[in-house]
Amino acid sequence: MMISEHQEVARHRVAEQIRQAEVRAQRKERREALRVDGEPAGPRHELAGALRRLADRLEPQPRHRRTGLSVVR
């Protein structure tokens, strides 16, 4: 029995949702492991994570030469 294109797309979407849920669960487990005496890791830990994610997005991207604004002399 062959599945329709609609069923295949739905299957891929469900698989992606499951993968994302697993990633979230792993993150939650790591956060729980970092807690001390049942207290959250705190704002510094959360800030450090946010800064790391921001730095990952801001890594230098390959650029073409001579792009951007030119300096008027």
Side-chain angles (χ1 to χ4, degrees):
M1 178 176 156
M2 295 195 52
I3 63 173
S4 69
E5 182 179 347
H6 176 75
Q7 290 171 322
E8 188 172 346
V9 168
R11 186 172 59 87
H12 283 287
R13 284 183 181 164
V14 169
E16 180 63 19
Q17 289 171 347
I18 291 170
R19 188 191 67 75
Q20 289 174 350
E22 289 172 343
V23 168
R24 283 193 303 270
Q26 288 173 349
R27 278 193 216 128
K28 184 175 180 183
E29 287 175 2
R30 283 196 299 267
R31 276 197 306 269
E32 293 293 326
L34 291 173
R35 290 179 179 225
V36 178
D37 299 327
E39 293 295 320
R44 295 179 105 186
H45 177 74
E46 293 172 13
L47 178 61
L51 290 173
R52 266 195 305 276
R53 288 190 300 276
L54 180 61
D56 289 344
R57 280 192 276 161
L58 294 177
E59 283 181 355
Q61 301 296 322
R63 296 184 191 169
H64 297 291
R65 289 184 153 191
R66 305 268 182 196
T67 58
L69 299 173
S70 61
V71 176
V72 177
R73 295 178 188 213

